[in-house]
Amino acid sequence: MKRRDFCATAALATGLGISGQAWAETKWDFATAYPAINFHSKNNQAFVDEVAKATNGALKIQPHFGASLFKMPEIKRAVQTGNAQMGEFFLVSFQNEAQIFGADGLPFLVKDYDQAFKLYQAQKPYLESILDKQGQTLLYSVAWPPQSIYSNKQINSAADLKGLKWRVYSPTTARIGELVGAQPVTIQEAELSQALATGVIEALITSSATGADNKLYENLKYFYKVQAWIPKNAVTVNKKAFNALSKAEQDAVRKAAAAAEERGWKSSREVDERSLETLQKGGMQIIEPSAQLMGDLSKVGDVVIKEWLEKAGADGQALIEAFNKSK
């Protein structure tokens, strides 16, 4: 991919409010990894449109969907370096960089969206601090639907996962694969359909939305509703680019970001219901997991959480304590 300089073109003339005619406009590039049809992408587009309207076009943000600007693993770094002013990335994928990023991927820590949002509130101050040190500002974060297991064979216990080619997208999914004896294979979402069609992977844990968007029912038969965790995407902006805006423009961005976060969480719940229907209509069997499978996975989850707490240290312990108090 040819890299270009995505620096903002200009700022508004000194003393000119965003309600007036701008002498020059500011342009940002917004790197994302998901297709335009994905609910995160639709939410991001709504954010972009609201910012354009609130600033009378003085701040124009161009979203680049489907990893067309940067691949998922590159987006966070691109925002840090200013090669893109804005970006969206999957928090848990960067757990090895900072354990706090992986808090919302801990198995069976939360039971539903309400608890997932409370976990986010406990996690948020740590996220903001880490990202600030990395030259980024957190604008908003939106949850995916709960993560469940897709497979091309019936799974009645963890033992049934042994030997399967298991798709990995984070340290936690890799560790789960190791603990159940599966064969971890790192695959980004954009590569999912091809990986399944060619037999590179045989099972994975992901959301109903990802399954519906990528038509996983074309290659997999079973969806086990284990609802292991509810992870999030984070949308960040390069701190220098954000600080270069006028106060009025910054306020407009933050207001639109708050609306995007609220809208995104609501949309995630709705998308989960619609996506499960899509999977079922596509021929996939939606199955409630057996007590044996849930018991096995809960034991795996206990190991993963224990290991995470050891690595996350005092901040991780404080985060979990804050979350437990909020329940």
Side-chain angles (χ1 to χ4, degrees), residues 75-296:
I75 290 176
K76 181 174 175 293
R77 181 65 180 171
V79 178
Q80 286 180 231
T81 58
N83 286 323
Q85 285 72 42
M86 283 186 64
E88 177 186 42
F89 62 92
F90 196 33
L91 280 167
V92 297
S93 292
F94 294 88
Q95 182 179 325
N96 284 338
E97 184 179 301
Q99 291 297 314
I100 294 299
F101 289 144
D104 51 295
L106 296 175
F108 307 108
L109 183 63
V110 302
K111 296 180 179 179
D112 51 37
Y113 276 100
D114 290 340
Q115 287 191 5
F117 191 76
K118 290 177 180 178
L119 177 62
Y120 172 42
Q121 299 312 300
Q123 183 188 25
K124 190 174 182 179
Y126 299 97
L127 292 177
E128 291 175 329
S129 176
I130 294 169
L131 290 168
D132 181 73
K133 292 173 183 176
Q134 296 177 339
Q136 300 180 74
T137 296
L138 177 65
L139 290 180
Y140 55 95
S141 185
V142 173
W144 284 92
Q147 306 289 285
S148 290
I149 293 176
Y150 294 77
S151 175
N152 61 1
K153 61 172 284 189
Q154 292 187 4
I155 307 295
N156 296 310
S157 69
D160 292 327
L161 292 167
K162 187 174 182 179
L164 290 183
K165 298 172 185 175
W166 174 260
R167 182 251 180 153
V168 166
Y169 64 69
S170 69
T172 294
T173 51
R175 183 61 176 138
I176 289 174
E178 292 173 358
L179 290 170
V180 300
Q183 300 179 39
V185 183
T186 300
I187 298 291
Q188 301 302 320
E189 182 176 344
E191 306 164 336
L192 261 183
S193 296
Q194 183 179 0
L196 286 165
T198 56
V200 173
I201 55 175
E202 300 170 303
L204 66 154
I205 187 165
T206 193
S207 72
S208 57
T210 297
D213 286 352
N214 292 278
K215 300 180 180 179
L216 298 191
Y217 47 78
E218 294 181 347
N219 295 287
L220 298 172
K221 296 180 181 180
Y222 307 105
F223 176 96
Y224 289 90
K225 203 173 179 181
V226 299
Q227 301 192 113
W229 59 87
I230 301 179
K232 301 184 296 293
N233 283 354
V235 173
T236 65
V237 61
N238 178 275
K239 190 162 67 170
K240 289 182 179 179
F242 184 73
N243 290 342
L245 299 177
S246 69
K247 176 63 164 57
E249 289 171 326
Q250 289 180 4
D251 290 344
V253 169
R254 288 199 179 278
K255 183 178 180 179
E261 187 166 277
E262 181 177 356
R263 179 176 58 241
W265 279 78
K266 182 175 183 291
S267 178
S268 183
R269 294 174 185 256
E270 297 168 349
V271 165
D272 187 32
E273 294 180 8
R274 293 199 303 270
S275 296
L276 288 173
E277 292 176 0
T278 298
L279 294 175
Q280 197 163 27
K281 288 179 181 178
M284 184 170 282
Q285 295 184 40
I286 309 299
I287 302 171
E288 291 294 333
S290 68
Q292 179 68 52
L293 178 58
M294 289 304 295
D296 292 345

